[in-house]
Amino acid sequence: MTHTPNHELSMTVLMTPDMANFAGNVHGGTVLKFLDQVAYACASRYAARYVVTVSVDQVMFLQPIHVGELVTFLASINYTGTSSMEVGVKVLAENIRSQQKRHVNSCFFTMVAVDDDRHPVAVPVLQPANERAKRRYEQALLRKQLRLELSSRLKAIKAMN
C-alpha cells in the first residue's frame, strides 16, 4: 500500500449509463459534482476541518467522457492562504479494455476551512516539498492574483450600473 500525502487525494469512479446522455457521453454536471466532492475531500482532510467551496476556476472539458470508462480525479492542495486553499484537480478517463488514458478535464477550486459556526479558520501552511509542488504553488499564487484582479474589475463594472 502506498502512502498518499495528506495534501493529495485520488478517486476513481466507473461511469455508468445513468450519468450520461443519449449519445453515451457523461453529463458535465455529473463531472462537476465529482470534481466538487474530490476537492472537498482533499481540502477537508488537509485542513482537518469542514470546508466550503468559494470558487471554481478554469473548468476545461477537453474531451468527452464515455459510459464504461474509469475516471480518476487527482486532487492536490497547490496553495494555502490563511483559511483558504487552492485545490487543483486533474481528470483522467481510462478505457478499461485498452487501458488507454486521456486527460479530459482540469480545474481549480478555492476552498475555505470553517469552524462549527461556519466562520473561517486557519489552515496549515503548505510547505512545497519538491519542484513540482513548488511550481504548482507559484502558479496558484498567479491564479490568486488573477482572481483578485478579475473580482476588482467585475465590481467596477457593477458600479457602473
Side-chain angles (χ1 to χ4, degrees), residues 124-138:
V125 175
L126 181 67
Q127 301 290 337
N130 55 44
E131 286 306 311
R132 183 178 68 169
K134 288 176 187 172
R135 186 183 74 247
R136 286 179 176 173
Y137 186 91
E138 290 166 5

Side-chain angles (χ1 to χ4, degrees), residues 55 57 86 110 140 143-151:
S55 69
D57 296 349
E86 183 194 89
T110 301
R143 282 187 294 271
K144 181 178 181 179
Q145 292 168 352
L146 287 171
R147 282 190 291 271
L148 292 172
E149 182 180 328
L150 178 61
S151 176

Side-chain angles (χ1 to χ4, degrees), residues 20-77:
N21 60 26
F22 291 109
N25 297 328
V26 175
H27 291 290
T30 300
V31 176
L32 287 170
K33 180 181 177 189
F34 286 127
L35 285 165
D36 192 47
Q37 288 174 350
V38 74
Y40 179 94
C42 186
S44 63
R45 181 170 72 183
Y46 179 79
R49 295 276 187 170
Y50 289 129
V51 299
V52 293
T53 304
V54 174
S55 69
V56 186
D57 296 349
Q58 299 178 348
V59 179
M60 303 287 182
F61 293 98
L62 305 173
Q63 296 182 28
I65 299 170
H66 308 289
V67 168
E69 290 186 308
L70 287 175
V71 176
T72 300
F73 299 83
L74 303 168
S76 68
I77 304 294

Side-chain angles (χ1 to χ4, degrees), residues 100-161:
Q100 180 183 0
K101 293 180 182 175
R102 302 175 294 119
H103 176 202
V104 295
N105 195 300
S106 287
C107 65
F108 302 94
F109 281 74
T110 301
M111 312 294 277
V112 170
V114 294
D115 63 18
D116 292 341
D117 296 320
R118 300 200 182 232
H119 296 112
V121 293
V123 299
V125 175
L126 181 67
Q127 301 290 337
N130 55 44
E131 286 306 311
R132 183 178 68 169
K134 288 176 187 172
R135 186 183 74 247
R136 286 179 176 173
Y137 186 91
E138 290 166 5
Q139 291 170 346
L141 207 57
L142 290 172
R143 282 187 294 271
K144 181 178 181 179
Q145 292 168 352
L146 287 171
R147 282 190 291 271
L148 292 172
E149 182 180 328
L150 178 61
S151 176
S152 174
R153 288 183 180 200
L154 291 173
K155 285 178 185 173
I157 290 170
K158 199 173 190 181
M160 292 167 55
N161 291 337

